[in-house]
Amino acid sequence: MGGALLPPTFGAGFAAAFAADEPSCYYPPTLTGMRGSHDGAYEVAHALRDGAVFRSPQDRDGEYDLVVVGGGISGLSSAYFFRKRFGRDARILILDNHDDFGGHAKRNEFWHGGRMHLRNGGTLNVEAPSQYSAVALELLREIGIDRTRYYESIAAVKDRYKDLGMGYGVFFDRRLYGGDKVVAGFGQRSFEEFFAEAPMSAKARADAIRLHTAEHDYLPGLSPTEKRERLVRMSYYDYVVNLVGCEPEVAALYDPETHSLFAVGVDAIPAMYGCEMGFPGFGGMALPETPPDLLVNEPGGQHGRENAGRAGSGDPDMYFPDGNATITRLLVSALVPGSIAASTMEDVVMARADYGRLDDEANGVRIRLNSTAIRVEEKGSDRISVTYVKDGRPARVRGRAAVLACWHPVIPWICPDLPDEQKQALNDGEKSPVVYTSVLLSKWRPLVDARVSYVGAPGGYHTSVSLSTPLALGEYATADNPDQPIVLGMGRYPCKPGLSRREQHRAGRAELLTTTFETFENEIRAQLDAMFGPHGLDAESDILAITVNRWPHGYTYSYNPLFDPVEWAYTTTDERPNVIARQRHGRITIANADAAASPHTDAAISEAWRAVSELATVI
Ligand SMILES: Cc1cc2nc3c(=O)[nH]c(=O)nc-3n(C[C@H](O)[C@H](O)[C@H](O)COP(=O)(O)OP(=O)(O)OC[C@H]3O[C@@H](n4cnc5c(N)ncnc54)[C@H](O)[C@@H]3O)c2cc1C
């Protein structure tokens, strides 16, 4: 195949542009335009799926102790754990198809007026750190993340928006409601007062107030346990519209919330999940508490499936200026000498990565970017080989073992020798399409005027809009002056309500892969003008840069009793496909957050630890 497949060499043919004020050397974090799954990252894998035959590979390098496929949190953690377990002089190669390391956990780095402005390009936060596994917590500590110091650092700034009178708002969009209007103070003032300002029909307004305030039993005659069983199998949309009797646009008020957690709307999320997450309508239902130990063997947040007491307990979520890219950058710094001069969460924020050092033969650990693995196989009883394509040319490396820390649906294509049952299980979870867009604004005064720092936009092209979290870490600080630039985050979750969750993800992915940057740009300008134009924003002059982080294969699929057996969603049964999928195959083990069926950073780390531990039995 060869030539027909050539992905563009780095820098040639990119829709993206380097942000102003930066030298045009290899430094992907400053690229703007269409990022995430960028052009050049996915073509080889798609060609493999479509039956392409590749040229014979050229052998490269000496032999490695470990070859890791996937340079996200899980792949980098695998390298970290392997070195810890098998010795610091282990030779490790990490392959990733993107032009930057980190997988979903990448940073968007804007420069304006000589100042750096950061935002996460994907993985946002360390959610519920107190629930992280011991293994994940220890790794974070070892690479330089200190929770006590973190909370001390941000203490003085964390309430900045609240102190300015800003809070949660809803953007009522003319596509879904009666007009374009941001209404501030959702959940912070009485619902009567809030909905009085909403451009809704009189019936929808009354329904919304009733949903939020009435204490009514909508399933009379059923025992608490029977009610719970019904609500586990009924969508929140059905509950609100068909049982409570509200207009559909009332149920849609909660779409932004389920979009950001599950990448689908309330039609594809069980009513019981809504109840656990504090959605309205359950005040008079007298439901039993979710047993706190249902998912006790699975650390980390379990959206919608843990009781509210557990979800709200422990330390608050941790946000770094570039999201969990802080974790991947600290991991790279620890693994690859000379790559990033930083060893703490404070100094890594401003540190510049030297991409020229990532694949240096002088180092024990090498990271090879723009490299898509197309074949991973055992060679005899004590070796593996990995074939990958870089710059259109197939190459092969050999090693003693491999960890596949890439997305599970990719594995059957690159590892066709796996048993059929395992390949089927690897294909079971449909990864969700998500878009995190970063918009550098010249000022945030219009949001102060609108009294919002976060807005849910049920009918919007992007369904959530949020200011960067106020942070002060090391030498970095989020703008404290509303007339200075800041990065706004916008979330879009392409889906098709009415279909099953897996079908919605497939349809959304197809849409995402054919949506141009120009479409995004036009929609962003129109939406921000509609939302904040009345408050003094002019998208034409106030938008300084846009980075669309497109993730067609985003969040890991988490089980959902509307479409999966209840036991898969609520227990740790070994019958779950993710358990069957992650079984060791000789000297090849399987990591990634997908192995836990959990879209979380701690899962990515814990699965890396398991995958490396499994190798101890064979090498
Ligand atoms: C937009 C977004 C926001 C998120 N926000 C949060 C959050 O706030 N908190 C949280 O805990 N989790 C969040 N997550 C979940 C996130 O997926 C995990 O936290 C974690 O980053 C996953 O790491 P990973 O290494 O398992 O997978 P990934 O980060 O997906 O890394 C796998 C890597 O393998 C690469 N790969 C795939 N196939 C091949 C191949 N054949 N050859 C070479 N490389 C290959 C992929 O391209 C990718 O770079 C978010 C996810 C997304 C998409």
Side-chain angles (χ1 to χ4, degrees):
M1 183 78 188
L5 272 189
L6 288 183
T9 30
F10 181 83
F14 263 54
F18 283 96
D21 294 8
E22 270 299 292
S24 59
C25 51
Y26 193 106
Y27 197 68
T30 53
L31 287 167
T32 57
M34 194 70 97
R35 297 293 295 154
S37 187
H38 56 79
D39 287 349
Y42 55 86
E43 291 81 348
V44 171
H46 286 185
L48 179 70
R49 175 202 64 193
D50 296 340
V53 177
F54 294 84
R55 286 180 305 206
S56 301
Q58 281 197 321
D59 285 314
R60 274 204 60 173
D61 310 338
E63 187 173 288
Y64 290 95
D65 294 302
L66 178 70
V67 180
V68 180
V69 178
I73 291 177
S74 204
L76 295 167
S77 302
S78 298
Y80 187 88
F81 290 134
F82 189 92
R83 237 177 34 155
K84 228 177 142 180
R85 185 153 199 153
F86 297 101
R88 284 190 68 80
D89 54 353
R91 276 176 49 80
I92 302 174
L93 176 68
I94 302 168
L95 299 168
D96 196 280
N97 56 316
H98 290 98
D99 59 22
D100 199 355
F101 59 80
H104 293 148
K106 292 188 170 68
R107 62 151 56 180
N108 292 160
E109 184 176 317
F110 299 97
W111 283 84
H112 186 76
R115 213 180 136 183
M116 182 194 278
H117 301 273
L118 293 171
R119 186 92 195 188
N120 56 303
T123 311
L124 170 68
N125 65 13
V126 176
E127 186 181 317
S130 305
Q131 292 174 34
Y132 268 40
S133 66
V135 157
L137 280 179
E138 179 61 10
L139 177 134
L140 295 189
R141 195 193 59 75
E142 286 177 8
I143 62 174
I145 292 175
D146 182 312
R147 267 152 79 194
T148 309
R149 233 172 44 230
Y150 173 84
Y151 298 119
E152 284 167 4
S153 288
I154 64 158
V157 298
K158 71 179 174 43
D159 293 328
R160 176 177 296 147
Y161 300 144
K162 207 165 116 201
D163 295 344
L164 286 167
M166 304 162 78
Y168 289 88
V170 174
F171 175 51
F172 292 90
D173 181 301
R174 77 177 61 202
R175 281 187 272 211
L176 197 58
Y177 300 96
D180 288 338
K181 187 175 180 189
V182 172
V183 181
F186 188 63
Q188 291 157 321
R189 51 187 172 137
S190 82
F191 290 105
E192 286 81 359
E193 207 183 313
F194 177 86
F195 285 111
E197 291 179 25
M200 301 169 97
S201 69
K203 159 89 166 75
R205 190 176 291 138
D207 285 348
I209 295 169
R210 182 166 55 88
L211 179 71
H212 285 87
T213 55
E215 302 255 320
H216 188 80
D217 187 349
Y218 298 103
L219 288 171
L222 297 189
S223 72
T225 307
E226 287 167 338
K227 284 180 193 168
R228 188 176 189 282
E229 279 166 12
R230 283 281 296 277
L231 297 180
V232 158
R233 291 290 198 176
M234 174 192 298
S235 75
Y236 185 66
Y237 178 92
D238 279 342
Y239 181 73
V240 172
V241 174
N242 299 325
L243 222 59
V244 184
C246 296
E247 294 292 315
E249 60 263 41
V250 175
L253 286 169
Y254 283 86
D255 275 343
E257 182 80 12
T258 59
H259 277 179
S260 71
L261 298 177
F262 306 98
V264 282
V266 292
D267 62 293
I269 294 305
M272 199 59 218
Y273 281 24
C275 176
E276 297 292 8
M277 295 187 297
F279 290 8
F282 302 98
M285 292 292 283
L287 290 162
E289 270 219 342
T290 300
D293 58 347
L294 263 186
L295 284 169
V296 75
N297 296 325
E298 302 284 280
Q302 308 290 341
H303 298 148
R305 291 175 292 166
E306 57 196 342
N307 72 8
R310 179 182 191 243
S313 65
D315 284 345
D317 301 344
M318 298 169 79
Y319 294 82
F320 297 104
D322 56 4
N324 289 3
T326 283
I327 297 175
T328 51
R329 283 162 53 85
L330 282 170
L331 276 166
V332 169
S333 165
L335 290 167
V336 184
S339 58
I340 305 179
S343 59
T344 68
M345 63 186 177
E346 288 89 356
D347 43 62
V348 79
V349 183
M350 301 296 285
R352 193 180 162 90
D354 183 349
Y355 284 80
R357 302 296 295 273
L358 292 182
D359 192 4
D360 186 342
E361 62 183 342
N363 289 333
V365 180
R366 301 171 72 171
I367 300 175
R368 194 161 293 161
L369 300 172
N370 303 300
S371 302
T372 306
I374 56 169
R375 187 75 198 244
V376 181
E377 55 196 327
E378 287 204 281
K379 290 285 176 195
S381 61
D382 59 353
R383 292 288 177 273
I384 56 96
S385 82
V386 178
T387 304
Y388 64 92
V389 175
K390 181 175 169 68
D391 297 336
R393 284 184 291 280
R396 180 168 50 203
V397 289
R398 293 177 192 277
R400 293 168 61 214
V403 171
L404 307 184
C406 53
W407 304 327
H408 278 198
V410 172
I411 293 174
W413 301 104
I414 64 176
C415 212
D417 301 336
L418 293 177
D420 285 346
E421 189 198 11
Q422 188 170 3
K423 284 195 267 190
Q424 206 179 329
L426 284 158
N427 272 318
D428 180 82
E430 198 64 55
K431 289 180 83 69
S432 58
V434 294
V435 183
Y436 276 25
T437 298
S438 301
V439 180
L440 181 65
L441 286 183
S442 64
K443 59 174 190 269
W444 47 287
R445 175 75 59 196
L447 281 86
V448 179
D449 189 68
R451 292 183 292 118
V452 289
S453 53
Y454 171 91
V455 186
Y461 189 76
H462 285 84
T463 50
S464 60
V465 177
S466 60
L467 278 180
S468 291
T469 306
L471 292 171
L473 211 54
E475 289 171 27
Y476 186 87
T478 325
D480 58 354
N481 179 344
D483 296 310
Q484 286 177 352
I486 202 165
V487 188
L488 195 70
M490 302 177 74
R492 174 169 168 77
Y493 308 86
C495 52
K496 292 276 176 287
L499 301 177
S500 75
R501 185 170 170 200
R502 286 180 178 80
E503 288 167 331
Q504 293 206 39
H505 290 338
R506 280 195 284 274
R509 183 177 312 125
E511 180 202 306
L512 191 51
L513 283 168
T514 52
T515 306
T516 62
F517 177 75
E518 285 67 32
T519 299
F520 271 101
E521 184 172 5
N522 290 336
E523 292 284 356
I524 291 162
R525 287 177 186 282
Q527 185 170 351
L528 291 183
D529 272 338
M531 291 175 75
F532 301 118
H535 301 279
L537 184 128
D538 177 1
E540 181 67 28
S541 56
D542 289 329
I543 294 179
L544 302 174
I546 298 174
T547 301
V548 174
N549 299 286
R550 163 182 76 175
W551 295 111
H553 304 271
Y555 305 159
T556 293
Y557 186 86
S558 55
Y559 299 118
N560 176 327
L562 293 181
F563 312 106
D564 301 303
V566 175
E567 298 71 39
W568 292 9
Y570 282 105
T571 76
T572 55
T573 168
D574 286 351
E575 284 168 20
R576 292 172 304 159
N578 65 301
V579 179
I580 299 166
R582 69 190 182 203
Q583 296 305 309
R584 176 176 63 82
H585 183 70
R587 293 171 162 256
I588 302 167
T589 59
I590 295 179
N592 196 277
D594 290 358
S598 161
H600 287 107
T601 289
D602 60 315
I605 299 171
S606 302
E607 294 302 323
W609 183 82
R610 179 196 45 74
V612 169
S613 305
E614 285 173 5
L615 286 177
T617 59
V618 283
I619 63 171

